[in-house]
Amino acid sequence: MIARLSGTVWNIGKSYVVVRVGGIGFHVHVPSDVLVQLDGVGQPVELFTHLHVRENELALYGFLTEEEMTLFELLLSISGVGPKVALALLGTVSPDTLRQAVVQEEPGLLSRVPGIGPKTARAIIFHLKDKIILTGVEAVPMLSDADTEVIAALTGLGFSLVEAQAALQSLPRDESLPLEERVRQALAYFAAP
């Protein structure tokens, strides 16, 4: 089993990276957020990997942290969740957000990810409920209806769920502001340098 790769970036594709290790290029499927964090072709990279074996294919999936790889493997243990869906989820939602959605039983956070419908989101929460815990002392507060509307508006405008949640966290905790004002302030977060 290939558990870790350390080498240089040989090529970057739409959903993969080719890592050169000792003259051999390993094609590794990665979440979209990993592609953004790579320094470019020719730069060093170290990935935690999962080798997925099917009847007619061996596929390598890579992550920057061991925590993401562990979550990927947990997701694969759920019926109806394959590598592509698990990769899309981890590329859109941070590990902390995934944990929060599971612990607080909020399938709506997960069903916004392309490829994950309400039924799959509920299955993920059901199967991971006893396997996942919030880490750190500070847990993220539950989302109010107003917060959910802001996230829905931002994702509707094309921002990723992770970007929408980061913008939401930058807002003052004033629930009395109208939705339009909260969305305007959230959009200002993206304009800030």
Side-chain angles (χ1 to χ4, degrees), residues 10 13-14 27 34 37 43 46 73 75 82 92 120 134 136 140-141 149 163 167 174 179 188:
W10 207 351
K14 238 180 164 176
H27 185 278
V34 170
Q37 296 178 51
Q43 298 301 312
E46 187 166 349
E73 291 171 343
L75 288 166
T92 307
T120 304
L134 285 175
V140 181
E149 288 176 349
E163 292 170 330
D174 184 3
L179 174 63

Side-chain angles (χ1 to χ4, degrees), residues 102-113:
V102 170
V103 170
Q104 296 176 352
E105 296 186 23
E106 292 188 24
L109 280 174
L110 304 180
S111 62
R112 290 191 181 102
V113 176

Side-chain angles (χ1 to χ4, degrees), residues 157-190:
L157 290 171
F159 294 101
S160 74
L161 187 57
V162 173
E163 292 170 330
Q165 289 168 340
L168 180 67
Q169 289 176 357
S170 74
L171 296 179
R173 298 301 309 166
D174 184 3
E175 298 290 326
S176 65
L177 287 174
L179 174 63
E180 294 81 14
E181 178 61 21
R182 290 177 55 97
V183 171
R184 188 190 66 71
Q185 289 181 5
L187 289 170
Y189 166 82
F190 297 112

Side-chain angles (χ1 to χ4, degrees), residues 2-42:
I2 302 169
R4 202 171 193 172
L5 285 179
S6 184
T8 57
V9 177
W10 207 351
N11 186 21
I12 299 175
K14 238 180 164 176
S15 61
Y16 68 90
V17 62
V18 177
V19 179
R20 183 180 185 163
V21 181
I24 299 172
F26 289 90
H27 185 278
V28 186
H29 301 277
V30 294
S32 57
D33 65 325
V34 170
L35 293 172
V36 174
Q37 296 178 51
L38 293 176
D39 292 331
V41 175

Side-chain angles (χ1 to χ4, degrees), residues 10-112:
W10 207 351
N11 186 21
I12 299 175
K14 238 180 164 176
S15 61
Y16 68 90
V17 62
V18 177
V19 179
R20 183 180 185 163
V21 181
I24 299 172
F26 289 90
H27 185 278
V28 186
H29 301 277
V30 294
S32 57
D33 65 325
V34 170
L35 293 172
V36 174
Q37 296 178 51
L38 293 176
D39 292 331
V41 175
Q43 298 301 312
V45 66
E46 187 166 349
L47 297 173
F48 293 90
T49 58
H50 171 85
L51 180 63
H52 191 73
V53 180
R54 287 187 239 169
E55 287 181 21
N56 57 352
E57 178 184 17
L58 297 175
L60 203 54
Y61 295 87
F63 307 90
L64 293 176
T65 66
E66 193 169 6
E67 173 189 32
E68 287 178 318
M69 184 191 66
T70 302
L71 286 172
F72 178 78
E73 291 171 343
L74 279 173
L75 288 166
L76 290 182
S77 70
I78 300 168
S79 177
V81 177
K84 288 182 181 180
V85 170
L87 205 62
L89 180 61
L90 291 173
T92 307
V93 176
S94 71
D96 287 336
T97 303
L98 175 59
R99 274 199 229 43
Q100 178 186 347
V102 170
V103 170
Q104 296 176 352
E105 296 186 23
E106 292 188 24
L109 280 174
L110 304 180
S111 62
R112 290 191 181 102

